[in-house]
Amino acid sequence: MIKEPKISRQKVYTLLVEVGRKDGDGLPKGATGGALMIYASGVDEAEAVRESVAILKQADLAPLDVTGYGTLEERLAEGHDISDDERELMQRALDENSVIVAQLTPFFEGDDGVRH
């Protein structure tokens, strides 16, 4: 009897997580918080969010808000331009069943959220 390979229900979700300040968070001096672009695997977006928040808390970060942007397929359907580098990080998150922090942007007092 030949076993069929198990089909994974895991998908990778793109999340933007805003963090506040906390002792030992590793954010630059003078930063008021930051935003992290994350690729996280999960059977659904809720699981990906839970896993990401748990890992960030373990890393002494203080998650405040999470915005989900969906899976690769959902982002492509919405017309997002996704680079090869992003796709590689998403695949790595899926292969490793992990949370990948792709980018950290610190916030400073007076930031208006507009990057020039």
Side-chain angles (χ1 to χ4, degrees):
M1 186 164 146
I2 299 174
K3 267 190 157 177
E4 291 293 318
K6 185 178 177 187
I7 306 285
S8 175
R9 293 179 31 227
Q10 298 286 109
K11 293 185 178 181
V12 175
Y13 295 86
T14 301
L15 308 173
L16 180 66
V17 182
E18 289 185 44
V19 295
R21 291 306 313 251
K22 181 178 175 187
D23 285 342
D25 61 16
L27 292 173
K29 184 176 180 168
T32 57
L36 293 90
M37 181 63 70
I38 291 178
Y39 304 114
S41 66
V43 294
D44 57 24
E45 192 169 74
E47 181 185 54
V49 168
R50 283 191 305 273
E51 293 294 323
S52 297
V53 167
I55 286 172
L56 293 176
K57 285 181 177 180
Q58 286 178 358
D60 286 331
L61 290 165
L64 300 173
D65 187 55
V66 180
T67 303
Y69 290 94
T71 63
L72 173 62
E73 294 78 18
E74 291 166 340
R75 290 183 60 201
L76 289 171
E78 290 179 15
H80 293 202
D81 184 26
I82 301 172
S83 71
D84 288 342
D85 289 342
E86 270 189 282
R87 289 172 189 261
E88 286 176 25
L89 290 172
M90 290 175 185
Q91 187 61 51
R92 181 175 160 203
L94 184 63
D95 292 345
E96 297 175 5
N97 188 24
S98 64
V99 173
I100 307 280
V101 176
Q103 182 177 348
L104 166 67
T105 304
F107 296 148
F108 294 93
E109 193 67 42
D111 273 357
D112 59 6
V114 178
R115 302 282 172 226
H116 301 282

